[in-house]
Amino acid sequence: MALVSVIPEVSTYAVAVPGSACKPATVQVYDANGDKLLSTLTPFPSFEGMPTVAMADVNGDMILDVVAGSGAGAVPEVVAFNGAGNAFTELARFAPFDAAFRGGVRVAGADIDGNALADNIIVGSGPGMESQVKVFSATLSEDLGTAPEVFTSFTPYAGSESGVSVATGLVDAGSGRQSIVTAPGAGEAARIKTFRYDLYEPTKRVEESGTASEHSHARPAMTSEFLAYDENYTGGVSLSTGWVAGAEGGAKSIVTGQLGGDGTVRVWSTGSRLDGGPAMYLESPNHHGGQIAFAQVASFVPFAGGTGVEVATTSTTSGADLLVSGSTPGGPTEVRKFSLGRADPAATTLSPNQIGGLPPRPEGSGHVSLGGR
């Protein structure tokens, strides 16, 4: 029998707000307990577009830091801010791609290299180059202008130049390892993939079998692949992970949000009490390292008549709440907070319940991007 324990926490989350003429983009950091504004950051002083943002503990002090990536049209850049004491001083600033690239940078963070001390900064390329995910070393350079060493990189969608969204999380409870979740950009079907680095030295038997390269840190194992929406939907996907199933247990769920279309949000699980699982409780340990299967456990449209959303999660003492940004036709941009639960004790899917959010932004202020943990 296996036992999965989740350490309760309440985290911060970030909202990236696009700039305007002569006004740079900002990142607003909120305390998830009461949605109180903690700080407003300007990660790229000359950038007026839409940055991307994530929360991760990149310096290993057990406090979530802010990681921001420059958006389309700007020189590619990543900056990390120290979350300790809400001071938000810079920890790192570097170029993850060639300076000539202008497709934007998507960001995430997780312990991928297995040092258990700090999260690796993970970036995904925007459109305009073959989709690439880079994982940087958790050891940050003392020089703010120098990038950490590249731990590894891979191409999740070979030949695609649509860009790649990234998220991270313990979506595979059987392995006990953080995974990287990807989705292609607009123009391609929403094919979600998950990748894991096993980080062990191959045994002689594995080396003799010819499969040793599958377990090298230079090459991740793809552990799942599924279509989040109909094959005809090609509007792009916002990604997040979190324990949004709360008391139902299991690993973190993957949350997908349509960046186009009607903004449908869906939640994907590898098993929980909703379906009599998690299945890992019933399996031999020998089964905990292979392919995993995700099933849809929730689907809803948070903004009736809307045209695309961004998603993130923020931890609570019993799981995680779901954050969704979007708008109704002609209305202002909003960030709404939902809890997910069974509509009745016999339900095998989750239903959303709006429990809060941020005040609506002025009309015309534009879409916002979210980052949580």
Side-chain angles (χ1 to χ4, degrees):
M1 175 179 288
L3 177 65
V4 177
S5 296
V6 178
I7 300 175
E9 64 175 351
V10 176
S11 69
T12 50
Y13 65 91
V15 178
V17 182
S20 56
C22 300
K23 180 180 178 182
T26 59
V27 171
Q28 298 174 346
V29 186
Y30 290 87
D31 185 341
N33 183 17
D35 302 312
K36 299 183 291 289
L37 178 65
L38 299 176
S39 185
T40 298
L41 312 175
T42 305
F44 312 107
S46 61
F47 178 57
E48 299 171 356
M50 168 62 78
T52 61
V53 67
M55 306 297 295
D57 178 17
V58 300
N59 62 351
D61 63 358
M62 308 299 289
I63 297 172
L64 290 180
D65 307 307
V66 178
V67 182
S70 56
V75 173
E77 193 172 31
V78 171
V79 59
F81 296 93
N82 190 349
N86 298 327
F88 298 106
T89 55
E90 286 192 22
L91 291 169
R93 181 180 289 273
F94 61 91
F97 303 116
D98 186 272
F101 178 63
R102 292 292 187 274
V105 182
R106 285 75 183 268
V107 292
D111 177 19
I112 298 299
D113 63 11
N115 70 1
L117 297 176
D119 288 340
N120 302 89
I121 293 175
I122 301 159
V123 303
S125 59
M129 63 182 288
E130 185 175 37
S131 66
Q132 187 174 17
V133 173
K134 283 187 179 181
V135 180
F136 289 90
S137 167
T139 302
L140 301 178
S141 173
E142 294 182 1
D143 179 2
L144 288 179
T146 301
E149 292 185 6
V150 175
F151 173 69
T152 186
S153 63
F154 65 97
T155 300
Y157 304 98
S160 169
E161 295 189 359
S162 68
V164 55
S165 298
V166 291
T168 58
L170 186 64
V171 299
D172 171 10
S175 73
R177 297 282 304 136
Q178 300 276 349
S179 294
I180 297 175
V181 186
T182 66
E188 299 197 19
R191 193 162 298 281
I192 311 302
K193 296 183 179 182
T194 62
F195 298 87
R196 186 185 66 236
Y197 291 87
D198 288 326
L199 303 178
Y200 70 83
E201 291 296 327
T203 64
K204 185 175 181 59
R205 178 178 296 180
V206 170
E207 289 176 342
E208 291 175 348
S209 72
T211 62
S213 63
E214 297 177 6
H215 304 283
S216 167
H217 82 276
R219 182 177 176 183
M222 189 178 76
T223 54
S224 69
E225 180 178 359
F226 63 91
L227 199 62
Y229 302 98
D230 184 271
E231 189 83 38
N232 294 323
Y233 172 73
T234 58
V237 178
S238 175
L239 287 175
S240 187
T241 72
W243 271 291
V244 292
E248 304 302 332
K252 283 187 174 182
S253 298
I254 295 175
V255 182
T256 61
Q258 290 182 328
L259 290 171
D262 62 2
T264 296
V265 172
R266 288 181 175 169
V267 179
W268 307 86
S269 170
T270 56
S272 70
R273 293 196 306 180
L274 290 169
D275 56 9
M280 65 171 288
Y281 294 154
L282 310 175
E283 292 178 348
S284 161
N286 293 330
H287 295 164
H288 292 174
Q291 291 287 302
I292 54 178
F294 285 88
Q296 180 183 306
V297 296
S299 180
F300 68 103
V301 177
F303 295 91
T307 55
V309 298
E310 292 262 3
V311 297
T313 62
T314 184
S315 298
T316 70
T317 56
S318 59
D321 290 331
L322 173 59
L323 302 168
V324 186
S325 71
S327 63
T328 55
T333 299
E334 297 181 59
V335 176
R336 296 179 178 178
K337 180 185 285 187
F338 297 88
S339 66
L340 297 175
R342 300 192 199 211
D344 62 74
T348 57
T349 57
L350 301 172
S351 298
N353 176 37
Q354 187 175 347
I355 58 173
L358 301 180
R361 297 179 181 274
E363 292 188 37
S365 61
H367 203 49
V368 299
S369 181
L370 303 174
R373 177 85 165 214

